[in-house]
Amino acid sequence: MTGLWYEITAETPPALVEAVSAVMREAAPGGLAVEEPVDLLGPEEGYAVRAGEPVALRVYLPASELGAVLTQQLREDLADFPAVELTARPLYEQDWAVSWREFFGPVEAGRIAIVPSWVEYEAGPDQLVVRLDPGQAFGTGHHETTRLCLAALDATVQPGMHVLDVGAGSGILSIAAVKLGAARVDAFEIDPIAADVARANCEANGASACVAMHGGFPGDGVPPADLAVANVSARADIELAAGIAGALKPSGRVIASGFLTSDRDDVVAAFGEHGLRLTAEREEREWALLELAAN
C-alpha cells in the first residue's frame, strides 16, 4: 500500500456550496471534489442528479502532523456553517485513484462529449470526443459550470484561435478548445497535481502540441489571446478580472463561470471595471456563466 490520507467530507446545502468550497480550498489547496447526490443509471449511462439534496464537498489531507493541523483549522473555519456536517475517513492513495470510476459516465455538451477513459462510447457523426481520466484533479465534466463552459466554447471557438484556460484542472476545457479548432491554448493551474493530470490528459487526446501548461495566472510572457475561459469561483474571477482583461487582444472575449447566480452582478461589475461588457449569459440550476467582450 501507498501513503495514507484522510478524506474530509462536508455535507453541504446547495445554497452554501460556493462559500464552503472556498473555505475548504484554503485548507487543502491540493484540490476539491464536488459530488452531487445522484442516482446511477448504469456503468455507461451516466446518472440523474437529485436536486435540492446536500452536496458532498471533499478534500484530501495527509495523515501527518500537518494534516492534523489543517483538519483542525478546517473544523474551526466551518463552525460558521452549522448546517454543514463534517466527517473524515482514512484512504489509501491506490484506492483513491480507483474510487472515482463507479460514479462517472459520459457527459455531452454541444458537440463535445466527455468520456471517461474506461468507458466504451460510440460518438455521433458530429461529436468531438474528449477522453478523460480525472485522477486527483477533480474535473470530469459533470458539474454544471463545466457543462456551461463546454457549451459556450462550442459556440465561441473559431479555427486558429488563441485561448487562455484559467484554472485548467484536469485539462478538460483546454482539450475541448483544441478539438474545436483552437491553434494555441495557454493553460494556467496553480495546483501541481492537477497540472500533471492535465498534461497527461492533453497527451492522451493528442492535444499536447497545442496546449502549454503554466503555473500561476495570466501575465507576462504570453501573447494576447482571442478568448479566455475561467471556470474558477466568484472570488477568483473578480480578483483575476484585471489580469484576464489585460491578457486579451483588443477584440478579445471572456467566458467566466464557476459561481452562483447570486454572484453574477459582482462578477459583471469586476470585468466591467476593466473594459469588458456583458454580451450573453447562461444558467444551469443555481450556477451561472457570463460571456463578455472588450468594448
Side-chain angles (χ1 to χ4, degrees), residues 101 104-105 107 113-119 129-135 137-142 146 150 168-176 197-198 200-202 204-205:
R101 298 192 171 197
F104 299 138
V107 174
I114 307 301
V115 182
S117 59
W118 56 90
V119 172
V129 175
V130 176
R131 285 283 179 179
L132 196 72
D133 190 344
F138 314 126
T140 65
H142 288 76
T146 309
L150 288 167
S170 63
I172 184 172
L173 299 181
S174 294
I175 298 165
V197 171
N201 283 324
C202 286
N205 283 274

Side-chain angles (χ1 to χ4, degrees), residues 204-222:
N205 283 274
S208 294
C210 299
V211 180
M213 294 295 304
H214 307 269
F217 303 103
D220 296 337
V222 175

Side-chain angles (χ1 to χ4, degrees), residues 243-289:
I244 291 172
L248 296 175
K249 295 178 180 178
S251 59
R253 302 173 69 180
V254 173
I255 295 169
S257 192
F259 51 88
L260 297 168
T261 53
S262 57
D263 293 311
R264 172 240 187 231
D265 292 347
D266 291 338
V267 178
V268 170
F271 281 103
E273 291 178 2
H274 301 285
L276 292 168
R277 58 183 174 82
L278 183 67
T279 58
E281 53 190 309
R282 303 166 186 251
E283 294 181 8
E284 185 173 341
R285 294 176 66 193
E286 71 271 30
W287 298 95
L289 176 143

Side-chain angles (χ1 to χ4, degrees), residues 161-174:
M161 269 190 170
H162 174 200
V163 177
L164 307 180
D165 180 4
V166 182
S170 63
I172 184 172
L173 299 181
S174 294

Side-chain angles (χ1 to χ4, degrees), residues 82-93:
V84 175
E85 182 179 348
L86 200 64
T87 59
R89 73 180 181 97
L91 186 69
Y92 283 93
E93 286 182 11

Side-chain angles (χ1 to χ4, degrees), residues 61-138:
L61 298 172
S64 63
E65 183 176 352
L66 173 60
V69 171
L70 292 174
T71 300
Q72 180 58 32
Q73 182 63 50
L74 184 58
R75 290 186 182 279
E76 293 174 2
D77 291 343
L78 290 180
D80 294 333
F81 300 93
V84 175
E85 182 179 348
L86 200 64
T87 59
R89 73 180 181 97
L91 186 69
Y92 283 93
E93 286 182 11
Q94 64 181 27
D95 302 324
W96 182 356
V98 174
S99 64
W100 300 102
R101 298 192 171 197
E102 63 185 281
F103 293 105
F104 299 138
V107 174
E108 298 176 351
R111 288 176 291 165
I112 298 291
I114 307 301
V115 182
S117 59
W118 56 90
V119 172
E120 293 185 8
Y121 183 82
E122 184 174 347
D126 297 322
Q127 276 191 317
L128 303 170
V129 175
V130 176
R131 285 283 179 179
L132 196 72
D133 190 344
Q136 297 177 21
F138 314 126

